Amino acid sequence: MDRIDGYLSRRVQNIWPEALVLISETGEYIVRRPDAEDLGLGDSFSRAQQAVDAMLAAERAKKQSA
């Protein structure tokens, strides 16, 4: 059974309000959103956190250039 990572979920919800970050039974971190394919974030908290940081930075840059 997948577990929810609350900290990373709250951060990802700044981009996708209905998203959850799950930790699979194999230890993979995954972003799950309604009506979208799962997005892998890595196999450790550190890698997942770096991926979330990169997504947030990209979203900020996108908003600034618009």
Side-chain angles (χ1 to χ4, degrees), residues 11-35:
R11 297 199 60 220
V12 165
Q13 288 167 356
N14 288 309
I15 302 169
W16 301 304
E18 296 181 7
L20 290 175
V21 174
L22 305 174
I23 308 167
S24 71
E25 291 179 2
T26 62
E28 293 287 326
Y29 284 73
I30 302 162
V31 175
R32 184 157 294 157
R33 300 174 287 161
D35 302 323

Side-chain angles (χ1 to χ4, degrees), residues 7-8 11-12 15 41 45-61:
Y7 174 75
L8 292 177
R11 297 199 60 220
V12 165
I15 302 169
L41 298 175
F45 178 81
S46 177
R47 289 182 183 179
Q49 187 173 19
Q50 289 174 357
V52 170
D53 289 344
M55 288 189 302
L56 290 170
E59 187 66 21
R60 279 193 301 273

